[in-house]
Amino acid sequence: MKAVYLMQPGTVEVKDIPTPSPAFGEVLVRVRAALTCGTDLKAFVRGHPMIPMPGLFGHEFSGVVEEAGTGVRGFKPGDEVMSVHTAPCHKCPYCAIKLYNLCENIMYTKILGAFAEHIIIPQNILKQNVFHKPPHLSFEEAAFLEPLACVVHGMRGLSIKKEDSVLIIGTGPIGLLHLLLAKVKGARVTITGLEPDRLETARHLGADNISLPSLLVENIETATAGLGFDYVFECTGQIEVWENAVNYVRRGGTVILFGGCKPGAVVTYDTYRIHYDEITLKGIFHFTPADVKEAYKLLSSGVINVKTLISGSYPLEKIHEPFDKLSRGEGIKYAITP
Ligand SMILES: [Zn+2]
Ligand SMILES: [Zn+2]
């Protein structure tokens, strides 16, 4: 089978490797769509601590079960499926206290290699985080299960209500998914980013206000009683933006720090602001099986429509093209259709 390897930052290669066969409890999936993701782009541009190089590449996918190993229940050849690339172990101390996204093994048992003709889904993932794709959802849309699960996780426990004011900083795929979900919750959403095209996309997707970062201070008038936003979502992974995000939240509000910065990054906050204005800073990482299930429901019911976020499709052989485009800030998310 053909599979994409990320050799080093900036270099991807399509290699011919033996098609794996599923062991006990596993399925072999013929990948039909795999999406580019911010994490992939970071790995492509500068390397990433969680993505080994040279190595198989890509983790957001959907496809068709081609072969089921012995002991597999609920999935058979021909089934159209949507999946994520991780699942918690249920054996470690964090799983014991139900913080499944923080499972000590979750990042070490993940599967990479969605930019390939085939991928094996291991038993642990198959049992917890794989769903049958409804026929009305395209393979490209179904592949949004993983990024949407991350966003669902970030908003879980936040009790965002109708008319609450939300600021989203960043108009990449994750910022735009935050926008879609915040609108489902009835929030009034302002979104800010550097790319005018993406801001227009955000408006089209339902943003109440769009703003270039330089004009954001004036837009604070759109927030709750002109005080500041109830919730601010940082979706860029830039140190300055992490630090700046607290300037837009109202007293008693919450800042969600979603975008991962480069390893070793350090940020500074004014303790007076955090303490006397009672600001909550909340880090967000990954997702739990409950988040994946919720994301599946949002996609399959059509409550969240991700069509607009797909900027184009490419065959496996042209894998470098979408990444070159994304490096130049062109497009939102691309589908690879092997
Ligand atoms: Zn992803
Ligand atoms: Zn665990």
Side-chain angles (χ1 to χ4, degrees):
M1 68 170 191
K2 289 191 170 62
V4 171
Y5 278 74
L6 180 60
M7 304 305 289
Q8 56 183 30
T11 311
V12 280
E13 268 178 35
V14 181
K15 296 190 183 209
D16 240 317
I17 59 169
T19 304
S21 22
F24 182 86
E26 299 180 342
V27 293
L28 176 72
V29 167
R30 176 73 177 87
V31 178
R32 293 291 304 276
L35 301 173
T36 61
C37 158
T39 308
D40 298 334
L41 180 63
K42 278 183 206 164
F44 180 81
V45 172
R46 61 169 195 233
H48 193 281
M50 295 287 179
I51 299 187
M53 278 177 237
L56 289 163
F57 195 28
H59 63 271
E60 299 177 4
F61 68 99
S62 64
V64 181
V65 174
E66 192 159 289
E67 205 184 328
T70 50
V72 168
R73 284 202 200 103
F75 296 96
K76 58 179 190 317
D79 284 359
E80 300 184 341
V81 291
M82 46 208 278
S83 178
V84 298
H85 66 305
T86 67
C89 72
H90 295 277
K91 292 179 184 127
C92 76
Y94 282 95
C95 282
I97 55 171
K98 298 193 165 81
L99 296 176
Y100 299 117
N101 59 312
L102 302 180
C103 166
E104 290 178 347
N105 297 305
I106 202 163
M107 278 294 119
Y108 303 101
T109 53
K110 71 176 182 291
I111 47 169
L112 295 176
F115 300 138
E117 287 176 321
H118 293 90
I119 190 165
I120 290 276
I121 302 181
Q123 185 175 28
N124 192 35
I125 298 177
L126 190 66
K127 276 189 168 167
Q128 301 183 67
N129 283 339
V130 180
F131 295 86
H132 289 273
K133 179 184 85 63
H136 62 268
L137 216 56
S138 70
F139 284 102
E140 284 88 347
E141 294 167 84
F144 273 84
L145 187 64
E146 193 266 352
L148 185 57
C150 293
V151 174
V152 165
H153 180 73
M155 285 199 192
R156 192 179 284 281
L158 288 182
S159 67
I160 297 177
K161 298 180 306 295
K162 215 168 161 36
E163 294 300 306
D164 278 355
S165 61
V166 163
L167 171 67
I168 296 163
I169 309 177
T171 50
I174 288 294
L176 295 175
L177 284 173
H178 274 88
L179 163 63
L180 291 173
L181 192 52
K183 287 312 294 177
V184 168
K185 293 174 189 290
R188 281 179 297 117
V189 181
T190 299
I191 186 164
T192 179
L194 295 166
E195 318 274 347
D197 287 358
R198 288 183 177 177
L199 284 173
E200 273 315 312
T201 304
R203 191 201 294 282
H204 175 76
L205 289 172
D208 298 273
N209 299 288
I210 57 172
S211 172
L212 288 166
S214 53
L215 302 175
L216 198 52
V217 174
E218 291 150 45
N219 268 294
I220 249 178
E221 299 306 319
T222 66
T224 301
L227 299 170
F229 294 91
D230 300 322
Y231 298 95
V232 175
F233 290 86
E234 193 294 326
C235 304
T236 74
Q238 305 289 322
I239 294 171
E240 322 75 69
V241 183
W242 272 53
E243 291 181 335
N244 247 324
V246 296
N247 297 331
Y248 305 115
V249 75
R250 65 158 164 79
R251 299 180 76 199
T254 301
V255 178
I256 291 85
L257 300 163
F258 193 99
C261 298
K262 52 183 176 236
V266 174
V267 292
T268 308
Y269 291 109
D270 179 349
T271 57
Y272 188 97
R273 170 78 168 129
I274 306 298
H275 179 71
Y276 290 101
D277 290 345
E278 214 172 59
I279 306 298
T280 302
L281 299 176
K282 193 172 191 314
I284 286 298
F285 177 66
H286 212 58
F287 47 79
T288 67
D291 300 319
V292 180
K293 197 169 197 175
E294 178 71 25
Y296 167 73
K297 284 187 196 155
L298 289 165
L299 286 170
S300 55
S301 62
V303 169
I304 293 268
N305 185 337
V306 292
K307 277 197 188 101
T308 313
L309 306 189
I310 307 165
S311 309
S313 295
Y314 289 88
L316 215 48
E317 291 72 21
K318 299 204 165 159
I319 179 85
H320 61 91
E321 280 188 36
F323 283 102
D324 289 341
K325 285 195 166 179
L326 289 170
S327 325
R328 294 193 300 264
E330 288 171 33
I332 298 161
K333 234 166 152 60
Y334 293 92
I336 306 296
T337 47

